Amino acid sequence: MKILVLGSAAGGGFPQWNCNCRNCAGVRDGSLRATPRTQSSIAVSANGVDWVLFNASPDILTQFRASPALQPGRGLRDTGIVGVVLMDAQIDHTTGLFMLREGKPLDVWCTAQVHEDLTSGNPVFNVLSHFCTVRWQPVSVVPPSSFSIPGAAGLRLTPVPLTSKAPPYSPHRHDPHPGDNIGMLIEDERSGQRVFYAPGFGAMEPHLEPFLADSDCVMLDGTFWTDDEMIRLGISTKTARSIGHLPQSGPDGMMALLARYPKPRKLLIHINNTNPILDEDSPERAELTRAGIELAADGMLIEYGETT
């Protein structure tokens, strides 16, 4: 199994186009040792040829150009992507679908809640229907039902509901439903390797225990360092938890949670531009490293637990 990190930043990317926080300003002028990142997405393959895309970010064309494996060039028009899985209906995870309109019929796996949001509040699927055929493949989370994707032999996917909120445009923004946001257990049927991918991990819940304890690798929400990060910077009045993100620091944060699980390799993805861990010389980054937690980076390839 190969996991290719296409993008590792939260919405807006890093540096964010209109942000002059310490991180964004520093990476632009070279005063900060940090790596630019595009908005989060991964691709997974069991054979290195046929890939499943998880989320379609606004940066998808840049990500594809940087990833030759996704363009095998077997014909006049070609792609290595055999299907798209959406973890939620957030704009930074779905806008890239518009960039895929020029291909063959688009097979999209998502929950009924995400499908509803993308046909009503933000009618992405309706717009795409004028350019290509969108074939919705329902994903069930109550109860969770494992599935495979035609053309991606060797991969088994199990959706896991996560506590979160639907996007601000959703008709049920303030009425959460299971399926608004999911994690995904990705298994290689040949090797038995298990990766748990949850870029919108907002809180620990009892049913998530085996996915954290038994996976070989976890790729979890790295959005904010502190719960009040955006408030302290004067950017927002909302806490990290209130918008569905578990911060890394604190006695009940992501680092404390992951310390309970010795088995998996631990990576953070979906990292907000304000997060001090992006500064490679920051004490927060050093603390994260001491805890045995890595940052996903654009272009990172994880293969059978090893990075190349």
Side-chain angles (χ1 to χ4, degrees):
M1 180 166 58
K2 301 175 187 290
I3 302 163
L4 178 60
V5 178
L6 301 178
S8 52
F14 175 62
Q16 182 170 302
W17 67 278
N18 66 340
C19 185
N20 293 303
C21 70
R22 178 181 178 273
N23 283 348
C24 290
V27 78
R28 284 195 197 98
D29 65 22
S31 63
L32 192 82
R33 197 163 67 94
T35 302
R37 287 168 160 83
T38 58
Q39 295 168 87
S40 74
S41 176
I42 65 170
V44 182
S45 175
N47 61 11
V49 177
D50 304 300
W51 297 82
V52 178
L53 178 68
F54 289 80
N55 292 334
S57 90
D59 299 317
I60 193 167
L61 295 185
T62 297
Q63 294 166 348
F64 277 19
R65 291 186 191 107
S67 308
L70 304 185
Q71 223 301 356
R74 296 163 294 195
L76 182 62
R77 294 285 178 94
D78 192 24
T79 176
I81 300 299
V82 297
V84 182
V85 177
L86 300 178
M87 313 300 285
D88 54 46
Q90 299 289 347
I91 286 176
D92 53 315
H93 288 159
T94 58
T95 305
L97 290 172
F98 288 126
M99 301 301 104
L100 303 180
R101 70 190 185 279
E102 296 157 334
K104 58 187 179 182
L106 197 56
D107 292 306
V108 179
W109 277 257
C110 66
T111 65
Q113 287 71 32
V114 169
H115 182 263
E116 178 187 355
D117 286 341
L118 296 179
T119 53
S120 57
N122 181 22
V124 170
F125 289 161
N126 300 345
V127 174
L128 280 172
S129 68
H130 294 280
F131 299 90
C132 65
T133 302
V134 178
R135 297 188 294 218
W136 173 43
Q137 312 293 336
V139 170
S140 173
V141 293
V142 184
S145 180
S146 297
F147 63 97
S148 58
I149 291 180
L155 295 179
R156 182 168 66 245
L157 309 179
T158 305
V160 185
L162 302 176
T163 294
S164 189
K165 288 184 177 181
Y169 65 77
S170 172
H172 60 273
R173 166 70 168 177
H174 301 294
D175 179 24
H177 289 63
D180 287 333
N181 181 24
I182 63 173
M184 191 70 69
L185 181 67
I186 307 166
E187 297 179 85
D188 185 324
E189 294 180 314
R190 183 180 61 181
S191 69
Q193 289 249 309
R194 297 157 53 96
V195 174
F196 183 54
Y197 176 60
F201 190 107
M204 182 57 185
E205 304 168 80
H207 72 275
L208 300 177
E209 180 76 23
F211 299 100
L212 297 183
D214 300 333
S215 293
D216 298 286
C217 176
V218 295
M219 303 180 73
L220 304 180
D221 191 326
T223 310
F224 298 115
W225 178 254
T226 60
D227 195 36
D228 63 348
E229 188 169 308
M230 300 287 275
I231 297 173
R232 286 187 295 103
L233 290 171
I235 296 173
S236 173
T237 59
K238 298 178 180 179
T239 65
R241 287 182 173 86
S242 72
I243 58 174
H245 300 288
L246 181 66
Q248 284 101 61
S249 62
D252 55 352
M254 185 69 77
M255 284 194 299
L257 172 64
L258 290 178
R260 292 159 39 187
Y261 302 102
K263 179 180 178 180
R265 180 180 179 184
K266 304 160 186 177
L267 294 102
L268 299 181
I269 195 167
H270 194 272
I271 306 157
N272 199 58
N273 65 88
T274 58
N275 195 326
I277 62 177
L278 289 169
D279 177 356
E280 297 173 18
D281 299 315
S282 67
E284 292 87 356
R285 181 66 167 268
E287 186 175 349
L288 202 68
T289 300
R290 288 194 297 271
I293 301 173
E294 305 170 62
L295 268 64
D298 295 22
M300 175 185 283
L301 179 64
I302 302 169
E303 184 174 6
Y304 302 114
E306 298 296 329
T307 299
T308 59

